[in-house]
Amino acid sequence: MVSTTVDLTDPGLWALPDTPALVEELRREAPVHLTDTVDDGPVWSVLSYQHSADVLRNAAVYSSESGSLLGAGAGQTPVGSGRMMALTDPPRHRELRSPANPFFSPGGVRGAARSIAELAGELFDRAVEQGEVDLVDVVSALPLAVMCDLLDVPEKDREMVVRVCDIAFLGRTPEERRAGHQQLIPYLMHQVMLRRTDPRDDLISMMATYRVRGKLLPVEDVVLNLDNIVVGGVQTVRHTAAMGLLTLVQHPELWQQLQRGEVGMDSAVDELLRWTSVGLHTLRTASRDTELAGRQIRRGDRVAVWVWSANRDPEAFDRPDLIRLDRSPNKHLALGLGAHYCIGAPLAKAELGALFSAALERVSAIEPTAPPQYNRSIINFGLDHFPVRLTPR
């Protein structure tokens, strides 16, 4: 059995400069390690691309129902188990996903692309006028606004919803973030009840009136799934955009490459998703005894796919230590794989492309005015603050 004393669940680990070399050494030793974690007990850590893909594709053996993320504590089952998209396996997973699919399909996103680009442009116009800004705040505003549109939040409520979401997603402590969710969930529940009797053409109405085998989903289940969609939609874009811009600041040759139009934005977004891999891990639980990379996995064992490591595996990517904005193919796992591939992937990519394009069109230089502050999260690793001075283009 290959075990390691390195606790990959230590949130302080991922901002250290020597972490890439450490993870590479662990992966070379073995693709699967048994990790003793402080909060979650023994966890199988999957570090290679191929074995990560094997786990993510095989929902029949590696279940999401007992939790999709580390941090809940050993033996703890999440509240939404079997009720939320993120915490169900097929076929139930497909049933919960169906009503939301039309709002995140490539066709639907293409229809909204112009308004997303316009909003991103407005955000950077204001940022350039201010001169000195926190880029985390700038990029966070876009997914929040887009989510309000998807939910069709009434104009009179938008300021409140954005403020509550700011607390839920950007709060400085877990207690602050929890308080934000405790305000958001009652609001969503109220809206679900209203739209069951007066549905509109929006995501809340679709989820609220959707029937599975002839029965409406319980209100609590609708709210849990909406809250999960909002969290995922905002956090992935926020952290990838901020970390992506930091990457471009740290590698000015890439910024110039994009400004000269030498690389397409679609491939650049995919490479920045791979490189940043802000969703560091995905958790599964073995539903039966199995074998993985020669390791005996027992029923009930927890298996953590370390996406960050898989996306830097030289067996899957040519020179993964280099940022190649034109990398092709680029089958990264930053947005998942298999049944749980991110439902909002087309929208997230459209928002990221719009934010990067708006910055490139309006800004000639981004100068940090203080060191960026990394968060302490293994769920969405990114920046709490990125203070910069923007020079207009």
Side-chain angles (χ1 to χ4, degrees):
M1 179 184 296
V2 177
S3 61
T4 175
T5 56
V6 176
D7 185 359
L8 297 172
T9 66
D10 175 5
L13 176 74
W14 296 94
L16 299 176
D18 58 349
T19 295
L22 171 65
V23 172
E24 183 179 352
E25 182 180 348
L26 290 175
R27 194 195 313 108
R28 276 202 307 265
E29 288 176 8
V32 177
H33 290 253
L34 186 63
T35 302
D36 290 318
T37 71
V38 173
D39 296 326
D40 295 278
V43 174
W44 291 103
S45 290
V46 186
L47 302 177
S48 73
Y49 181 94
Q50 186 56 57
H51 293 97
S52 294
D54 290 344
V55 170
L56 295 178
R57 284 195 189 102
N58 195 346
V61 174
Y62 300 101
S63 171
S64 300
E65 294 213 349
S66 295
S68 62
L69 295 168
L70 291 163
Q76 298 297 313
T77 301
V79 173
S81 176
R83 302 164 66 189
M84 294 167 55
M85 279 183 269
L87 301 176
T88 53
D89 300 319
R92 178 62 171 168
H93 175 76
R94 287 192 294 272
E95 293 175 343
L96 293 175
R97 192 174 173 117
S98 291
N101 274 332
F103 293 89
F104 298 102
S105 68
V109 171
R110 279 194 296 272
R114 177 172 293 183
S115 61
I116 292 172
E118 288 175 356
L119 180 54
E122 291 169 6
L123 291 172
F124 271 93
D125 282 339
R126 288 198 293 272
V128 167
E129 285 179 14
Q130 289 176 255
E132 293 193 9
V133 296
D134 188 331
L135 270 185
V136 174
D137 292 340
V138 175
V139 300
S140 298
L142 179 68
L144 278 169
V146 171
M147 198 56 65
C148 281
D149 287 342
L150 280 174
L151 301 177
D152 195 15
V153 174
E155 202 63 44
K156 64 181 178 61
D157 296 340
R158 291 203 172 202
E159 185 177 337
M160 179 274 295
V161 170
V162 169
R163 175 174 50 79
V164 169
C165 286
D166 272 345
I167 299 170
F169 307 140
L170 311 181
R172 290 168 295 177
T173 65
E175 291 73 25
E176 284 186 19
R177 294 191 288 273
R178 195 176 303 117
H181 281 292
Q182 287 170 350
Q183 295 177 67
L184 178 61
I185 285 175
Y187 177 79
L188 290 173
M189 186 168 288
H190 177 65
Q191 291 299 316
V192 168
M193 297 302 294
L194 286 177
R195 296 183 207 192
R196 279 208 161 158
T197 56
D198 184 21
R200 313 172 194 167
D201 184 20
D202 63 84
L203 181 56
I204 295 179
S205 298
M206 181 65 79
M207 295 287 290
T209 58
Y210 189 73
R211 293 179 181 271
V212 176
R213 294 187 291 276
K215 292 184 178 181
L216 291 169
L217 292 171
V219 171
E220 293 83 358
D221 292 14
V222 175
V223 171
L224 284 170
N225 279 284
L226 287 170
D227 183 68
N228 188 239
I229 288 170
V230 172
V231 170
V234 173
Q235 291 284 52
T236 299
V237 174
R238 170 206 173 201
H239 288 298
T240 303
M243 291 286 279
L245 287 169
L246 174 61
T247 301
L248 296 176
V249 169
Q250 293 171 332
H251 300 270
E253 73 280 4
L254 301 179
W255 177 272
Q256 292 160 13
Q257 201 178 9
L258 282 169
Q259 278 201 328
R260 290 193 297 262
E262 296 171 4
V263 180
M265 183 55 69
D266 289 348
S267 67
V269 166
D270 269 314
E271 179 66 349
L272 290 170
L273 278 162
R274 181 195 74 86
W275 181 255
T276 59
S277 292
V278 299
L280 293 177
H281 80 279
T282 297
L283 183 67
R284 297 290 184 261
T285 301
S287 56
R288 60 174 181 258
D289 291 354
T290 188
E291 184 179 297
L292 183 67
R295 313 290 171 231
Q296 295 301 312
I297 311 295
R298 301 300 180 189
R299 183 177 182 273
D301 283 359
R302 291 198 278 186
V303 179
V305 168
W306 289 93
V307 173
W308 192 97
S309 174
N311 281 343
R312 282 171 166 74
D313 186 348
E315 294 295 318
F317 300 94
D318 179 46
R319 295 298 308 274
D321 54 321
L322 295 181
I323 309 168
R324 295 178 172 173
L325 297 181
D326 60 352
R327 184 180 294 275
S328 180
N330 194 348
K331 297 182 179 180
H332 63 78
L333 303 179
L335 296 171
L337 187 70
H340 282 271
Y341 181 72
C342 178
I343 189 173
L347 181 61
K349 288 185 178 185
E351 292 176 10
L352 289 167
L355 286 166
F356 296 143
S357 295
L360 289 160
E361 289 166 4
R362 290 160 172 80
V363 179
S364 64
I366 299 176
E367 178 189 354
T369 55
Q373 294 181 24
Y374 291 90
N375 65 12
R376 293 181 58 82
S377 172
I378 61 165
I379 295 173
N380 281 287
F381 175 67
L383 301 175
D384 279 339
H385 298 288
F386 186 13
V388 299
R389 181 180 298 108
L390 303 179
T391 301
R393 186 173 180 183

